[in-house]
Amino acid sequence: MLSGLLNHPLARTSLLFGLILLIMSLLAYLLAPLLIPIIISFALYALLEPLSSMIERQGLSRNMASISVLALMLLLAMLAVYLLLPQLSTQLEGLHDQLPVVWQSLMGFTQNATEVIARSIGLNLDAEKLTAPFFNQANDWGKTALIEGSNMLISLSVVLVLVPIFTFFLIRDYRSMRNHLLDSLPNSSFELGWLIYHRVAHQLQEYIRGIMIQSGIMTINTSIGFYIIGLDSPILLGLVAGVLNLIPYVGPLLAMVLPIILALGHAPLDPWLVGAAISVILIAQVIDNALVIPSVIAHAVDLHPMIVIVGIIIFGNLFGFVGMVVAIPFISTCNIIFRALLQGMKTREAHRINSTQTPLGNS
C-alpha cells in the first residue's frame, strides 16, 4: 500500500517539488550577500531583453547588442542619480532634522485630544504618561527607518557597480545557459522542462515589467501630488510610495503612514493638509487600479488575494522588505511549477497504464 501511495502522481509531484524547493533555498542561502543585486539584475533583464533582441535583429552581434543596451541603461541610471540623488539626500537629511519637531507636535496634539476625551467621559488620566511610551517607541522606529534609509543610499554605490555587470552577462549569456541546462534534461523530462520554463518565464517577465512600470507611475503621481499640496520632501515621499506599491494590498496602506505623520506634525496643525496627504495616496491608487493595473499588469499573476496577503506576511517576517517584494513572484512560480509537474506526472501515469493494458486488449 505504501508503494502505491508513493507511486501516486500527487505524491511523486510533492517529492520532486520539495527537492526543487530545497535546491532553491540552498542557492538563496549561498547567494544571500548578492541576492538584492541578482534580483534587480533579473528584473532589468526582463525589462531590457526585448530591446536587446530587437537591436540584434538589426544585424548587430549578441555582444554588441548587449553592450548597447547596457550603455543605454548606464546612461539613464547616471542621469537619474545626477538628478535625484542630491535631492533625496537633502530631503532625507531634512526629514531627519524635522523628526523631533514632528514627534513633539504629534505628542502635544495627542495629549490634548486624550485629555479632552478623558474629561468628557469623567476620567482622570495623565495623558502624558499614557502616550509617552507609544511615542518613544514610534520615535525609535522612525530614527531606525531613517538610519536604514541613509545606509541604503550609501550601499547604493555597491549595487550600482554589481547590477550593470550582472545585467550585461544575463543579457549576453542567459539564453545559452538556459538552453544548455534544459538540453541536459533526460528525454522523458525534456518537453515538460521546456513547458515549465516557458510558463514561468512568460509570467514572471510580464509581472516584473508590469510592476516596474506601475511603481514608476505611482512614484511620479504621488511626488507631483505631494508637491502640489505643499508637503515637505515630496520626491522622497513619492519614491517611498512607489517602492511600497511593489507590495500588493499592504503597500498602499504603509505608504500613507509617513505622509500622514508629516502632515500631523505640521505646526500649526492643519487638518486640510492631513486630508490632502491621504487624498494624494487614494487618488494615485484609484488611477493605479482603474488604469495602470488593467492595461499594464492585467492577469500576470493569477493568485487568490488571501494567498497573496498570507504570503506577504510570512515572507516579510522571514526576509524583511525584500521578502515582501519577492513573495508574489515566488509563490506564483511555485504554483506554475507544481501544477505543471502534477499534470506531467498524471500524463505519464496515464501512458503507463495504457501501455500495460494494451497487450491484454489485443489478446
Side-chain angles (χ1 to χ4, degrees):
M1 182 176 177
L2 180 61
S3 173
L5 288 175
L6 291 178
N7 287 327
H8 191 277
L10 181 59
R12 295 172 65 184
T13 301
S14 299
L15 289 173
L16 182 57
F17 182 72
L19 179 61
I20 293 172
L21 280 183
L22 181 62
I23 294 172
M24 292 171 66
S25 301
L26 181 61
L27 286 174
Y29 175 77
L30 293 174
L31 298 174
L34 301 174
L35 209 52
I36 292 179
I38 289 174
I39 291 172
I40 296 174
S41 299
F42 267 102
L44 289 174
Y45 167 78
L47 196 66
L48 298 174
E49 200 277 335
L51 178 60
S52 175
S53 298
M54 184 181 69
I55 294 175
E56 193 176 356
R57 286 195 295 270
Q58 302 304 314
L60 291 181
S61 65
R62 188 69 178 169
N63 271 341
M64 288 304 300
S66 303
I67 292 173
S68 300
V69 171
L70 182 67
L72 177 62
M73 184 190 76
L74 288 175
L75 180 63
L76 293 176
M78 290 171 62
L79 183 63
V81 168
Y82 176 77
L83 293 176
L84 294 179
L85 196 58
Q87 293 288 333
L88 290 176
S89 299
T90 302
Q91 292 186 9
L92 195 61
E93 214 172 290
L95 190 61
H96 185 273
D97 296 337
Q98 188 184 5
L99 191 63
V101 179
V102 170
W103 287 130
Q104 193 64 35
S105 178
L106 283 175
M107 285 180 68
F109 170 76
T110 306
Q111 288 169 8
N112 292 335
T114 304
E115 290 174 357
V116 170
I117 295 172
R119 284 196 300 268
S120 65
I121 60 177
L123 293 177
N124 185 17
L125 297 176
D126 189 339
E128 185 174 355
K129 289 184 179 179
L130 189 65
T131 58
F134 168 77
F135 279 104
N136 288 337
Q137 183 63 56
N139 190 32
D140 291 339
W141 288 342
K143 289 179 179 178
T144 302
L146 287 173
I147 292 172
E148 289 182 358
S150 301
N151 292 336
M152 286 178 64
L153 289 178
I154 295 171
S155 63
L156 186 63
S157 57
V158 179
V159 174
L160 289 176
V161 171
L162 293 177
V163 166
I165 297 173
F166 290 165
T167 305
F168 169 75
F169 284 112
L170 282 174
I171 294 173
R172 193 190 71 173
D173 300 326
Y174 177 76
R175 283 193 291 186
S176 61
M177 291 189 297
R178 174 204 64 188
N179 294 342
H180 179 73
L181 181 63
L182 291 174
D183 288 344
S184 64
L185 291 173
N187 291 335
S188 59
S189 304
F190 181 79
E191 185 177 349
L192 179 61
W194 272 101
L195 175 65
I196 292 175
Y197 168 77
H198 278 297
R199 287 182 179 176
V200 170
H202 176 72
Q203 186 156 324
L204 283 182
Q205 284 181 350
E206 277 196 356
Y207 180 74
I208 289 171
R209 291 169 190 159
I211 63 170
M212 290 181 74
I213 294 171
Q214 179 193 22
S215 180
I217 293 174
M218 177 62 67
T219 299
I220 294 170
N221 288 340
T222 50
S223 296
I224 294 173
F226 292 138
Y227 177 79
I228 290 173
I229 67 173
L231 199 61
D232 295 332
S233 308
I235 297 176
L236 179 61
L237 294 178
L239 184 61
V240 170
V243 172
L244 289 175
N245 203 57
L246 295 173
I247 307 170
Y249 302 110
V250 181
L253 297 176
L254 296 176
M256 289 186 181
V257 174
L258 187 56
I260 291 175
I261 289 176
L262 289 180
L264 286 172
H266 193 273
L269 180 64
D270 187 354
W272 180 88
L273 188 61
V274 177
I278 297 173
S279 298
V280 167
I281 298 290
L282 292 179
I283 292 171
Q285 282 299 314
V286 169
I287 296 173
D288 185 59
N289 286 276
L291 299 177
V292 180
I293 291 179
S295 58
V296 175
I297 296 181
H299 303 290
V301 179
D302 183 19
L303 293 173
H304 192 278
M306 184 57 68
I307 295 176
V308 171
I309 294 172
V310 172
I312 289 171
I313 293 172
I314 293 174
F315 276 70
N317 286 331
L318 292 175
F319 307 110
F321 176 76
V322 175
M324 290 191 286
V325 172
V326 303
I328 306 311
F330 180 79
I331 294 172
S332 177
T333 299
C334 290
N335 181 45
I336 294 172
I337 293 174
F338 186 84
R339 287 187 176 184
L341 285 175
L342 182 58
Q343 185 62 42
M345 292 295 181
K346 287 181 177 179
T347 303
R348 189 174 299 178
E349 180 68 13
H351 288 164
R352 186 186 67 81
I353 293 174
N354 289 337
S355 63
T356 57
Q357 291 178 347
T358 299
L360 294 175
N362 291 339
S363 61

